[in-house]
Amino acid sequence: MTLVRIPGYNPAHDGASLRQDAWARQRLRRVRCAPHAARARWRARARHCRQATGVGCDQVIVVEPPRNGGTDAYLRFWNQDGGEVAACGNGTRCAARLLLDETEQTSMILETDAGWLTAEEAGGGQVRVDMGPARLDWRDIPLARAADTLHVAVGAGPLGDAVAVNMGNPHAVFFVDDADAVPLEALGPGLEIDPLFPEHANIGVAQRLADDRLRLRVWERGAGLTQACGTGACAAAVAGARRGLTGRSVTVVLDGGELGILWREDGHVEMTGPTAASFSGVLPG
């Protein structure tokens, strides 16, 4: 992930969160351009941040001054396809890591379009983020029609009977015997844009390893098959607990590493995991 300052020259610090790459640009003052022009610029930059043609990332993250007095910063997220999304769990954690280090705070409140998120030091270089409550009503996912979100009739190939969860963005979680055997790169694109998901959906395939451990792979809407997905890990943990497959505290094993997820009794979901700086660079303009 990358943090860039303006005005003047823009030092960009890239951080990796379980090998999910993203660019985060810190705007110490607002760019003087029309809102639609700013969106178009970041949309274009997101589309050019593909691993095969550049430094590579899953998301572009913009860190702006807080819009409300009770928060420390406002985060915005763009996927590789140029679409702006309300939430990114790993991106939030990496942005929090950089901001916590810069401000020497031990906790902070970050505003996103999905709500206010509390981030704090968790020891050993890890960051814990309260991702807010898991939303489980079909209207909140959202789904195109009324449905029991614990058993959603959608699928493709070997996948069926999804659990729908909204963690600031919509997720459909499919439980399987072997997550690594599922051809997610083939099935994910169609499931992402299924008519049941009017805002499209992140598609996860989860495998129960133990009462407190899940294996997860995610096809991320707008980004494709990803090494890790923080909100996806939260959604899988909630789905596993709802199905009675796991407890409310689990370790989620992704291709890029492990995340600790706790679905609290008050409905909020905490995500804890490591971050690491990858490199620094400069973004022109």
Side-chain angles (χ1 to χ4, degrees):
M1 306 206 166
T2 307
L3 190 68
V4 183
R5 295 179 182 272
I6 64 169
Y9 97 106
N10 300 327
H13 309 286
D14 179 74
S17 172
L18 304 187
R19 294 181 61 193
Q20 182 186 36
D21 303 318
W23 286 90
R25 178 184 176 96
Q26 182 178 7
R27 304 166 70 175
L28 300 185
R29 69 178 184 188
R30 294 186 183 276
V31 177
R32 293 185 178 180
C33 60
H36 70 276
R39 286 195 298 269
R41 180 173 61 186
W42 286 108
R43 186 180 303 118
R45 283 181 171 167
R47 287 172 174 164
H48 284 89
C49 287
R50 300 184 185 275
Q51 285 86 346
T53 57
V55 67
C57 74
D58 289 336
Q59 284 90 22
V60 170
I61 303 172
V62 179
V63 185
E64 295 189 355
R67 300 189 303 178
N68 294 278
T71 63
D72 294 280
Y74 170 49
L75 306 185
R76 300 176 70 186
F77 309 93
W78 277 267
N79 280 335
Q80 270 190 10
D81 67 354
E84 186 172 4
V85 294
C88 173
N90 285 329
T92 299
R93 203 171 71 257
C94 277
R97 168 81 280 152
L98 293 168
L99 292 171
L100 288 169
D101 288 346
E102 288 193 352
T103 62
E104 299 184 349
Q105 297 174 220
T106 57
S107 66
M108 60 177 46
I109 298 175
L110 301 172
E111 183 182 2
T112 72
D113 288 342
W116 291 15
L117 308 178
T118 301
E120 62 184 2
E121 295 277 4
Q126 300 200 52
V127 174
R128 179 180 300 111
V129 178
D130 177 354
M131 295 297 296
R135 288 177 281 177
L136 306 175
D137 187 89
W138 69 271
R139 302 170 187 83
D140 295 329
I141 302 302
L143 300 179
R145 59 182 181 273
D148 176 4
T149 58
L150 189 56
H151 295 281
V152 179
V154 65
L159 302 180
D161 189 26
V163 182
V165 181
N166 188 301
M167 287 303 313
N169 48 24
H171 289 264
V173 182
F174 297 87
F175 285 95
V176 297
D177 293 333
D178 185 351
D180 292 296
V182 174
L184 191 53
E185 61 278 9
L187 301 176
L191 288 168
E192 173 190 348
I193 61 172
D194 188 281
L196 186 60
F197 306 118
E199 297 181 6
H200 299 175
N202 301 284
I203 307 300
V205 291
Q207 173 187 349
R208 180 189 180 277
L209 301 177
D211 288 345
D212 60 353
R213 198 169 180 85
L214 290 172
R215 170 74 172 112
L216 178 69
R217 298 172 64 223
V218 179
W219 176 272
E220 195 166 336
R221 65 171 183 171
L225 194 62
T226 184
Q227 291 285 307
C229 178
T231 57
C234 293
V238 170
R242 291 188 71 203
R243 284 274 178 96
L245 299 173
T246 67
R248 299 177 74 99
S249 178
V250 299
T251 297
V252 180
V253 182
L254 301 119
D255 288 342
E258 299 183 356
L259 287 171
I261 308 295
L262 171 65
W263 186 22
R264 299 184 336 213
E265 293 296 334
D266 65 359
H268 282 235
V269 182
E270 292 182 355
M271 172 186 62
T272 305
T275 64
S278 295
F279 69 88
S280 295
V282 175
L283 283 178

